[in-house]
Amino acid sequence: MRKRNIPYRVALAVLCLLLVFSQAAIFAAPYDEAASSALSVEFKPNGSAAAKVKFRVYRVADVPADGGYALSDGFEGSGVSLDGLDNAGWTKAAKALFDYMRKNKLPPLGEAATDKAGVAEFGGLASGLYLVEGNSFASGRHTYKPEPFLVRLPGLADDGSWEYSVNSSAKYTDDYSEGHRSYATLKVLKKWQGDTPADRPDKITVDLFYKGTHNRTVTLDASNDWTYTDSRISASLANGEWSVEEVKADGYEMEDAAVKVSGNTVTISITNKKKPDEPNDRYGVLRVIKKWKGDSQNDRPERVTVELFNKGAHNRTVTLHRANDYTYTDTRINASLLDNDWTVGEVKVDGYVLDGASVGVSGNTVTVTLTNSKNNPDEPDNPDEPDNPDNPDEPDNPDNPDNPDEPDNPDEPDNPDEPNNPDNPDNPDNPGEPGNPDNPNEPDNPVTPDNPEASEQSDQPKLPQTGALWWPVPVLSLLGLGLAVCGSYMRKEKDAESDEE
């Protein structure tokens, strides 16, 4: 029985070791510090999706791959410890970092509003520890305020693997109002002094606090006439215990922030005053103004680009457009530029010509004025009337031709001479008789020739040469002899075979 359990025990031990090593491998695997993460923040008070609620994220600490946290991105001076925290400790740390961020007006890394499903999406976030906070949301008699919280990116899944897409659910507080006046109205008004619309920034961010606790962040700009209204705040907030902190606007200072309560309406008025220009020994003002001639508003382009040069060197490129009434102002140029050595290079405007650019200096202000005229084409001149052509001269009458002379009569030809009669030919002479031939003489007896010497070639005639070759004769003779010998040998062999039979 014990022997049978041994294999099972061994298998169980091996399985345990595999699990231990696999888990160790998972937790030992570092995350990719260069990879970006995505964060989804869900906000559903009492289970119902809250749409159009703005959330913001702030990166507060680095998270090295080897563990631990190191405050960063402006939060180094908060003094918040992030080591060895439990759930309550993380909640407390989030509140402390949130208060530090508000006090020091640290800008968010990103802002997103919840969709119809109550989810706000953030993408492209580097690895690190993030603070998340959002605006209040009113529904019926309830006002829901998201609580700030901290989230690490990338996140760690239950199986020990790294998650680069993290989903979080925002907790909230619920401020419930009793009575028939369950709602109040909150208004924020921005007022400007000592400036022009062209001087103002694109937008202003204002943080509103109630009894010292941050309530919401609102954005004011020209599109909403620098105002904000919420007609469904809790009636319990309709009192004068509101305060304001505004993100600084360059060139302005906050003159006043007054809170007024009338019935169930709270009105917060914020006044910003244009700062006076700096002394001439430090800064000056540069203004660029565009003027138009011979046209209408509809003829003008949406924008014009102007290149500005000082002492021949390029200084800046400015864009003048309809929204800023084709003007540009910089109130902090160096005082050394307060001179007339400005020139202009303007990108050509279709249908217009640049009449000229003038530069004027008054005190600590340089004003560059450009004038463009509508380019109406000149009417062409009427062509000259053509001259009437001269009448042609009458042609001269031609001379009458002379009559030709009468031809002379030809001479009569001479008669030909009569031909002469030919003479008769002479008769030929008769040939003479031939003479008799002479008899030949008797030949002399031939002389007997001497015998030729051995060394001399015989004068006897040679045998005629037939052209036949003599070298085959011995060859054929030998061949015939061979055949005869072979025949004799073969015959002897045959005779010997006959005798044996």
Side-chain angles (χ1 to χ4, degrees):
M1 190 69 177
R2 295 176 65 183
K3 291 182 179 180
R4 256 186 319 210
N5 288 336
I6 290 175
Y8 294 101
R9 291 177 180 175
V10 172
L12 181 60
V14 172
L15 180 60
C16 291
L17 288 174
L18 289 175
L19 289 174
V20 169
F21 284 115
S22 63
Q23 292 297 317
I26 290 174
F27 284 104
Y31 64 85
D32 185 359
E33 294 187 55
S36 61
S37 299
L39 174 64
S40 298
V41 179
E42 183 183 64
F43 187 43
K44 293 184 176 181
N46 292 331
S48 299
K52 298 182 180 180
V53 179
K54 290 185 177 180
F55 281 83
R56 289 162 290 277
V57 295
Y58 305 78
R59 189 174 184 276
V60 299
D62 297 326
V63 185
D66 56 358
Y69 297 95
L71 293 172
S72 63
D73 295 77
F75 288 86
E76 296 88 346
S78 65
V80 177
S81 175
L82 301 172
D83 297 326
L85 301 180
D86 55 11
N87 288 339
W90 283 113
T91 300
K92 184 177 179 180
K95 181 65 169 61
L97 291 169
F98 174 82
D99 292 340
Y100 181 82
M101 177 269 296
R102 291 300 177 189
K103 180 179 178 181
N104 292 275
K105 300 181 176 62
L106 298 179
L109 184 63
E111 182 180 65
T114 56
D115 55 18
K116 293 181 180 180
V119 178
E121 301 282 357
F122 298 90
L125 301 176
S127 61
L129 185 67
Y130 286 82
L131 171 68
V132 183
E133 57 92 12
N135 292 351
S136 298
F137 174 74
S139 177
R141 295 183 180 182
H142 298 267
T143 299
Y144 303 101
K145 172 62 180 174
E147 295 181 349
F149 64 94
L150 295 168
V151 60
R152 172 179 174 160
L153 298 177
L156 195 61
D158 293 338
D159 62 358
S161 61
W162 294 106
E163 290 184 331
Y164 294 90
S165 181
V166 177
N167 299 319
S168 296
S169 182
K171 296 181 179 180
Y172 54 88
T173 58
D174 182 3
D175 185 5
Y176 179 75
S177 297
E178 297 281 354
H180 67 283
R181 293 177 60 186
S182 58
Y183 301 112
T185 299
L186 173 65
K187 292 184 177 181
V188 181
L189 308 178
K190 166 66 69 177
K191 297 180 180 179
W192 303 93
Q193 289 184 357
D195 69 343
T196 65
D199 298 330
R200 298 168 189 169
D202 293 335
K203 61 181 179 180
I204 288 288
T205 302
V206 179
D207 290 318
L208 302 179
F209 295 81
Y210 180 75
K211 294 182 180 180
T213 301
H214 183 267
N215 180 271
R216 67 192 64 197
T217 299
V218 299
T219 301
L220 312 177
D221 55 40
S223 66
N224 58 26
D225 199 22
W226 306 99
T227 62
Y228 167 82
T229 302
D230 183 354
S231 59
R232 294 177 66 84
I233 69 169
S234 173
S236 64
L237 303 178
N239 54 56
E241 298 189 64
W242 289 85
S243 59
V244 174
E245 287 187 8
E246 181 183 68
V247 175
K248 182 180 179 182
D250 290 339
Y252 289 85
E253 54 188 1
M254 192 168 70
E255 185 76 7
D256 184 36
V259 180
K260 180 181 179 180
V261 180
S262 177
N264 67 338
T265 301
V266 179
T267 302
I268 302 175
S269 299
I270 306 170
T271 302
N272 283 70
K273 186 177 181 180
K274 187 82 169 65
K275 290 181 180 180
D277 295 333
E278 298 288 344
N280 288 348
D281 59 346
R282 295 184 59 192
Y283 299 106
V285 178
L286 172 64
R287 297 184 187 277
V288 181
I289 301 172
K290 166 69 68 177
K291 294 183 178 181
W292 306 92
K293 290 172 58 178
D295 67 344
S296 64
Q297 288 281 353
N298 294 332
D299 296 332
R300 298 169 189 171
E302 186 64 28
R303 62 184 59 199
V304 174
T305 301
V306 178
E307 305 285 350
L308 298 178
F309 299 81
N310 184 265
K311 295 182 176 66
H314 184 268
N315 182 270
R316 68 190 66 197
T317 300
V318 301
T319 301
L320 313 177
H321 48 79
R322 196 185 303 273
N324 62 19
D325 198 24
Y326 300 101
T327 62
Y328 168 82
T329 302
D330 183 355
T331 60
R332 293 177 66 83
I333 69 170
N334 194 290
S336 63
L337 301 176
L338 296 174
D339 53 42
N340 288 310
D341 291 332
W342 290 85
T343 54
V344 174
E346 182 182 63
V347 175
K348 184 179 179 182
V349 181
D350 291 340
Y352 287 84
V353 294
L354 180 65
D355 289 344
S358 62
V359 180
V361 180
S362 177
N364 68 334
T365 301
V366 178
T367 302
V368 180
T369 304
L370 298 89
T371 303
N372 284 71
S373 294
K374 184 71 175 167
N375 186 16
N376 296 316
D378 297 332
E379 292 290 335
D381 297 332
N382 292 325
D384 297 332
E385 292 290 335
D387 297 331
N388 292 324
D390 296 332
N391 293 324
D393 296 334
E394 290 292 334
D396 296 332
N397 292 324
D399 297 331
N400 292 323
D402 297 332
N403 292 323
D405 297 334
E406 290 292 333
D408 296 332
N409 292 323
D411 296 334
E412 291 292 333
D414 296 332
N415 292 322
D417 296 331
E418 289 292 332
N420 297 322
N421 290 322
D423 295 332
N424 291 321
D426 295 331
N427 291 321
D429 295 330
N430 290 323
E433 292 291 331
N436 291 321
D438 295 332
N439 290 321
N441 296 324
E442 289 292 331
D444 294 331
N445 290 323
V447 179
T448 299
D450 297 329
N451 290 326
E453 296 179 358
S455 61
E456 294 180 359
Q457 187 175 356
S458 175
D459 291 333
Q460 295 296 322
K462 298 178 181 179
L463 294 176
Q465 302 296 315
T466 60
L469 298 177
W470 286 98
W471 67 264
V473 173
V475 174
L476 292 175
S477 299
L478 291 174
L479 182 58
L481 180 59
L483 291 174
V485 173
C486 288
S488 175
Y489 177 77
M490 291 176 66
R491 184 173 183 82
K492 286 181 180 182
E493 289 290 328
K494 188 175 181 180
D495 292 341
E497 288 176 0
S498 299
D499 293 339
E500 290 176 0
E501 290 179 358

